[in-house]
Amino acid sequence: MGSVNIQYNIGVSQAQAALASLEARMTRTTGIISSQTRIADGAIMVLAGSFMALGAGAFVAYNAVNEFQESLTSVRALGGVTKDDMNELAETVNRVSMQFGVSGDDIARGTVMLSKAGLTVNEVNESIEYMTALSKANGIAFEEAARMTVFAVNVFDKEFSETKEILDAMQVATQESILDVGDLQKAFAYAGSTAHMAGVSYEQLISIMAVLSNRALEAGIASRSVNQMFLTMIAETEKLQDWMNMMGHSFQIIRDGKLDIDALIEAFEDNTELMVTLQGATDVFSTRALRSFGLLIGASSDYQDMLHQVENSQGALAEVVEVQMESFTAMFAKLKQELLAPLRTPEVMERVGIMVDNFITMFE
């Protein structure tokens, strides 16, 4: 059965013409009111009728753009960007909103948070498509998707030009485990900086969290215990190395200035006496750290499989979104954003601003 491709083309000029007509009617109404030397009861009725005649259409236009425009203005104020940059951002937000059927107001509001996080307009323009895709794929707010991206980039010293790869990996880690995207926020908050300091990569950390979640370890507890495990490995490197040598593993725990977490977990892949192993490690790890360490070495093969999937996750997010966009709800949401898009252009928003000024003048 062939797919049906429906495109909706809405002319911006038509929306602009409608607003221009409203402005003209409003100006005429203002003139009538201004020419009166005394407002009697009958004149008040005329004013009310005029307001009702033009108010419905005017406020439909206003309500369609007010929050959108306010958010972009905040970005301009916070980031010190030009009006042209703001208009370019508005165009990008509009395009992404129509592409995924995600509220343009929500995306615009999220760009305020991105601006506060220090992103330039160019960085926002090139990364919000993938943040919106993460939002759509996981049923989370755009602001949450944006916040997760900022955490991943900043904690692991990545670039926003890598957003697609970062979020593909995040998507695989969550869909191949019972981990939620929001759970990774806890991982970044509690264990992210320690992991990066120890030389553990972004991909390794989210793979560890995914494996622990499949072992029924709650995300908040797992994040704290993983953080403690990394800290112990850094603080007690010599003691850990001696214990590993005693267990018959001669590789160096710290290699090229980084914790070789993969080799450490892989060393216990064929371990059949996990309890004995953990009893020997009690002199190295605290109880909290030992919990994560024990679960990880007991799931060595699972960790290696998870890490392989995370490191080869290219296109995973796009595949999920493509399927989700086939639902009736997604198609209708996309249509709604396509209908609103012509009202969210810089030209129309400027006319709405003029219209608001005229309203104020009229009632003054």
Side-chain angles (χ1 to χ4, degrees):
M1 179 178 178
S3 61
V4 179
N5 184 16
I6 303 175
Q7 295 184 344
Y8 300 90
N9 297 312
I10 306 172
V12 174
S13 59
Q14 184 177 1
Q16 292 175 334
L19 287 174
S21 175
L22 287 171
E23 291 171 21
R25 292 169 61 189
M26 197 159 48
T27 301
R28 290 195 299 272
T29 303
T30 305
I32 292 170
I33 297 170
S34 300
S35 66
Q36 304 300 315
T37 58
R38 179 173 177 273
I39 301 181
D41 291 343
I44 292 176
M45 295 301 295
V46 172
L47 171 60
S50 299
F51 176 76
M52 291 298 291
L54 63 86
F59 278 96
V60 165
Y62 172 79
N63 288 330
V65 302
N66 68 328
E67 187 175 352
F68 186 84
Q69 191 266 353
E70 183 176 0
S71 295
L72 295 178
T73 302
S74 296
V75 172
R76 182 182 176 189
L78 291 168
V81 300
T82 66
K83 187 174 182 180
D84 288 341
D85 287 336
M86 187 188 75
N87 290 340
E88 182 182 351
L89 179 59
E91 182 179 344
T92 302
V93 173
N94 230 2
R95 173 180 58 80
V96 172
S97 174
M98 289 188 291
Q99 180 181 351
F100 296 102
V102 174
S103 168
D105 289 340
D106 290 347
I107 299 174
R109 190 165 51 248
T111 62
V112 177
M113 186 272 291
L114 294 173
S115 181
K116 290 168 66 176
L119 275 73
T120 66
V121 171
N122 287 336
E123 287 175 329
V124 175
N125 282 333
E126 71 181 6
S127 60
I128 61 172
E129 176 180 342
Y130 308 113
M131 300 179 199
T132 309
L134 185 72
S135 167
K136 189 72 176 181
N138 295 278
I140 59 176
F142 174 82
E143 284 188 79
E144 183 177 352
R147 188 176 295 108
M148 295 301 303
T149 305
V150 170
F151 285 165
V153 170
N154 289 342
V155 169
F156 289 93
D157 289 336
K158 292 181 176 289
E159 302 292 335
F160 282 96
S161 58
E162 303 174 74
T163 298
K164 181 179 183 300
E165 292 75 19
I166 292 170
L167 299 189
D168 276 338
M170 191 180 295
Q171 183 64 35
V172 167
T174 54
Q175 70 187 38
E176 296 298 327
S177 68
I178 60 173
L179 199 67
D180 290 330
V181 169
D183 291 334
L184 289 177
Q185 183 172 333
K186 300 175 184 176
F188 297 150
Y190 293 116
S193 58
T194 306
H196 182 59
M197 180 173 59
V200 176
S201 71
Y202 164 76
E203 291 79 10
Q204 288 172 322
L205 177 61
I206 63 175
S207 296
I208 288 172
M209 292 301 300
V211 169
L212 292 180
S213 75
N214 284 344
R215 292 296 182 278
L217 195 58
E218 192 272 330
I221 296 173
S223 300
R224 291 176 175 86
S225 62
V226 166
N227 181 61
Q228 189 63 50
M229 181 182 72
F230 290 151
L231 286 172
T232 301
M233 289 176 176
I234 294 171
E236 304 289 349
T237 301
E238 291 186 8
K239 186 183 291 188
L240 179 61
Q241 186 69 61
D242 290 342
W243 176 73
M244 290 292 293
N245 294 340
M246 185 182 67
M247 295 294 295
H249 304 294
S250 58
F251 67 90
Q252 293 298 307
I253 302 289
I254 303 296
R255 184 179 301 175
D256 299 327
K258 297 180 179 180
L259 178 65
D260 196 348
I261 191 70
D262 288 353
L264 182 59
I265 297 174
E266 186 178 358
F268 294 92
E269 183 175 8
D270 298 322
N271 190 307
T272 57
E273 297 181 341
L274 182 60
M275 182 62 71
V276 175
T277 300
L278 293 179
Q279 286 175 337
T282 54
D283 291 338
V284 180
F285 294 103
S286 65
T287 301
R288 174 178 286 181
L290 188 63
R291 186 177 188 184
S292 285
F293 182 70
L295 288 173
L296 280 174
I297 63 175
S300 177
S301 296
D302 291 347
Y303 168 74
Q304 293 173 57
D305 290 342
M306 184 69 71
L307 182 61
H308 176 75
Q309 292 184 68
V310 166
E311 291 179 334
N312 295 275
S313 57
Q314 294 83 0
L317 185 55
E319 290 177 3
V320 174
V321 173
E322 183 178 1
V323 174
Q324 288 189 333
M325 291 304 296
E326 296 176 359
S327 74
F328 293 148
T329 302
M331 288 189 289
F332 189 79
K334 187 172 183 293
L335 172 61
K336 178 182 177 182
Q337 298 308 315
E338 289 173 345
L339 292 171
L340 289 172
L343 294 175
R344 289 173 173 164
T345 62
E347 297 82 5
V348 174
M349 285 192 290
E350 184 175 353
R351 288 184 175 273
V352 171
I354 295 171
M355 180 183 69
V356 172
D357 287 340
N358 286 341
F359 262 123
I360 294 171
T361 301
M362 178 174 70
F363 284 103
E364 286 177 345

